[in-house]
Amino acid sequence: MKIIEVSENYKLIEDFLKKAKGSLDTFRYFQTRPVQIIKNHITTLMILENESPVCYGHLDLDNSTVWLGIAVVEEEKGKGYGNLMMAELLSSARKNKLKEVHLSVDIENKIARSVYLKQGFIPVKEKDGKLFMKIELG
C-alpha cells in the first residue's frame, strides 16, 4: 500500500471512478466537475494497493471554505482506507495552516458520519438530506 499526491494524473482519477461503483452514489463530487478540477485543490491524494487506486481524498478550496472529500472503492470498504485518508488529509490541512475544514455527508450514511464524529468533526446544519460538518484546527 502507498499514499501518493495526485496533481495532474487524471487517468488515475478516472481509473478510480471506474472502480468505485456504488461508492459514487454518495460521493458525487465528480458528477458535476471534470477530473481536471484537481489542479485547483489544496491537496489530492490516492491510496494504491498493488498500483491500483482504492481510496481518493481531497481538500478543495471553494471561495473561502475548504471542503474535504473522501471515497473508497466499493469492494474495499471496511478495510480502514477511509480512516487513513482522513488522517492524511487533516495532516495536510494542518501543514497548510488551515483553520477549519468542512464536509457534507448524506444523513443516511451512518458509517461515514461515525468516522467524521470520531475524528472531531461537529455537525453544523442539515439540508436536503445532507449533514454539513466542520472541524476547527486551531
Side-chain angles (χ1 to χ4, degrees):
M1 178 192 65
K2 65 181 173 181
I3 301 171
I4 63 167
E5 174 74 39
V6 181
S7 55
E8 294 187 20
N9 189 340
Y10 307 128
K11 183 179 179 333
L12 189 59
I13 301 293
E14 290 165 353
D15 289 348
F16 171 80
L17 294 172
K18 287 176 191 167
K19 287 183 65 179
K21 297 183 181 157
S23 294
L24 299 182
D25 294 340
T26 56
F27 181 75
R28 296 176 286 273
Y29 182 79
F30 288 108
Q31 289 180 4
T32 58
R33 298 167 184 87
V35 294
Q36 292 79 9
I37 192 78
I38 67 170
K39 68 183 175 197
N40 299 328
H41 288 174
I42 295 168
T43 302
T44 308
L45 301 174
M46 191 77 70
I47 298 176
L48 304 177
E49 280 290 351
N50 301 317
E51 302 304 314
S52 180
V54 294
C55 184
Y56 165 90
H58 70 241
L59 295 174
D60 179 19
L61 180 62
D62 183 21
N63 295 319
S64 62
T65 303
V66 176
W67 292 94
L68 179 143
I70 296 175
V72 178
V73 168
E74 185 72 29
E75 296 87 38
E76 302 294 338
K77 287 185 175 184
K79 297 181 180 179
Y81 294 122
N83 284 316
L84 179 58
M85 181 61 76
M86 174 71 70
E88 290 292 322
L89 290 172
L90 291 178
S91 175
S92 174
R94 289 181 179 96
K95 286 178 191 165
N96 282 286
K97 298 181 176 27
L98 301 177
K99 295 188 187 319
E100 61 184 34
V101 174
H102 297 252
L103 61 81
S104 68
V105 60
D106 290 356
I107 290 172
E108 300 110 32
N109 193 340
K110 293 178 183 176
I111 293 171
R113 285 186 9 230
S114 173
V115 168
Y116 301 143
L117 288 169
K118 286 177 187 172
Q119 290 289 335
F121 280 83
I122 57 169
V124 176
K125 70 176 180 178
E126 290 182 20
K127 183 179 177 186
D128 299 327
K130 293 182 185 147
L131 177 63
F132 292 84
M133 305 176 84
K134 74 174 182 177
I135 188 169
E136 294 184 10
L137 302 172

